[in-house]
Amino acid sequence: AQSVTQLDSHVSVSEGTPVLLRCNYSSSYSPSLFWYVQHPNKGLQLLLKYTSAATLVKGINGFEAEFKKSETSFHLTKPSAHMSDAAEYFCVVSGWSGGSNYKLTFGKGTLLTVNP
Amino acid sequence: DTEVTQTPKHLVMGMTNKKSLKCEQHMGHRAMYWYKQKAKKPPELMFVYSYEKLSINESVPSRFSPECPNSSLLNLHLHALQPEDSALYLCASSHRTGRNTEAFFGQGTRLTVV
């Protein structure tokens, strides 16, 4: 079985300072990992994905994440927060669910607030 | 065009009503999904359709009935819902169901059961 743990339910930063959202995963094989963002009352938007190619993955809006197998981590970072980054962020792992089916398993989410 | 369109955006229904949620994608994706999301919680998978066939049903109550008329459309028929079914219902699609395959989400239907 696969799972992800988002270590912080809420992160608060000031505009212009770095962002770090932490995620640890558990998987019985090499995982595929994703970060999604959800703004209030909106759907989910894919920020980036890791699929066993480069361990440092660059995404949209200046976000990036580094896959560290030794630490079973996939933390999301951004050098400088913008007010528009305030949202809920989900770390997601793709796992086998029987037959030829895979499904996404979501972490509980991290709410990012950005203070002016 | 990476867009999944859901209608309606908002729906209020009584416990004896029958209603349907609709989802459409024109990306040529062959897998489509329904998720339920309660406030301040992650999305929970309800159903997966792969090549228009139901491939995963996460033990969802029968008052939720999915339908996939063709590869571009996915409906969710609702009947005799309970107030606890009030939530944001998200539709998603992906190229296929695979380990490396990301899902694209619609904006959701905000459902309120009264």
Side-chain angles (χ1 to χ4, degrees):
Chain A
Q2 294 71 228
S3 66
V4 289
T5 301
Q6 293 183 245
L7 300 171
D8 305 292
S9 59
H10 186 199
V11 170
S12 182
V13 301
S14 297
E15 190 175 20
T17 64
V19 176
L20 170 63
L21 305 183
R22 298 182 295 164
C23 173
N24 287 118
Y25 70 89
S26 172
S27 177
S28 53
Y29 48 81
S30 182
S32 290
L33 294 160
F34 310 84
W35 276 99
Y36 282 84
V37 61
Q38 185 176 31
H39 288 90
N41 298 310
K42 298 290 186 183
L44 284 82
Q45 182 183 20
L46 180 69
L47 281 177
L48 49 81
K49 70 175 185 179
Y50 167 77
T51 57
S52 74
T55 56
L56 182 62
V57 182
K58 294 189 183 298
I60 62 172
N61 300 334
F63 284 95
E64 62 181 39
E66 186 172 8
F67 175 76
K68 292 187 176 180
K69 184 176 181 180
S70 61
E71 299 176 9
T72 62
S73 68
F74 189 56
H75 301 335
L76 182 70
T77 61
K78 183 174 180 177
S80 176
H82 190 274
M83 296 296 290
S84 61
D85 295 327
E88 188 85 29
Y89 291 79
F90 292 100
C91 183
V92 181
V93 64
S94 176
W96 182 66
S97 61
S100 60
N101 296 310
Y102 288 80
K103 66 178 184 180
L104 301 180
T105 299
F106 286 76
K108 293 186 182 301
T110 298
L111 178 65
L112 175 67
T113 57
V114 182
N115 304 305
Chain B
D1 182 11
T2 54
E3 187 172 299
V4 176
T5 303
Q6 291 187 242
T7 55
K9 289 185 168 48
H10 301 274
L11 178 63
V12 179
M13 61 184 291
M15 290 187 285
T16 59
N17 292 159
K18 286 184 180 181
K19 296 287 185 181
S20 297
L21 309 184
K22 298 185 184 301
C23 176
E24 187 170 10
Q25 57 88 12
H26 293 291
M27 295 178 278
H29 290 173
R30 302 312 301 268
M32 296 187 76
Y33 313 78
W34 280 115
Y35 287 83
K36 173 182 177 180
Q37 186 179 26
K38 301 285 277 185
K40 302 187 186 304
K41 297 289 187 183
E44 298 174 356
L45 182 65
M46 300 174 73
F47 303 103
V48 179
Y49 273 81
S50 180
Y51 291 86
E52 294 121 70
K53 293 184 179 178
L54 183 65
S55 59
I56 297 178
N57 178 341
E58 295 284 274
S59 301
V60 177
S62 60
R63 57 185 184 269
F64 296 92
S65 175
E67 178 198 16
C68 190
N70 58 57
S71 61
S72 300
L73 293 173
L74 184 66
N75 300 322
L76 186 64
H77 303 298
L78 314 173
H79 174 55
L81 295 193
Q82 302 298 309
E84 59 265 29
D85 296 321
S86 298
L88 181 68
Y89 288 83
L90 294 163
C91 175
S93 71
S94 63
H95 177 61
R96 55 183 174 84
T97 61
R99 189 170 71 90
N100 297 335
T101 305
E102 67 270 33
F104 295 89
F105 286 81
Q107 297 293 289
T109 294
R110 175 72 62 187
L111 174 67
T112 303
V113 182
V114 297

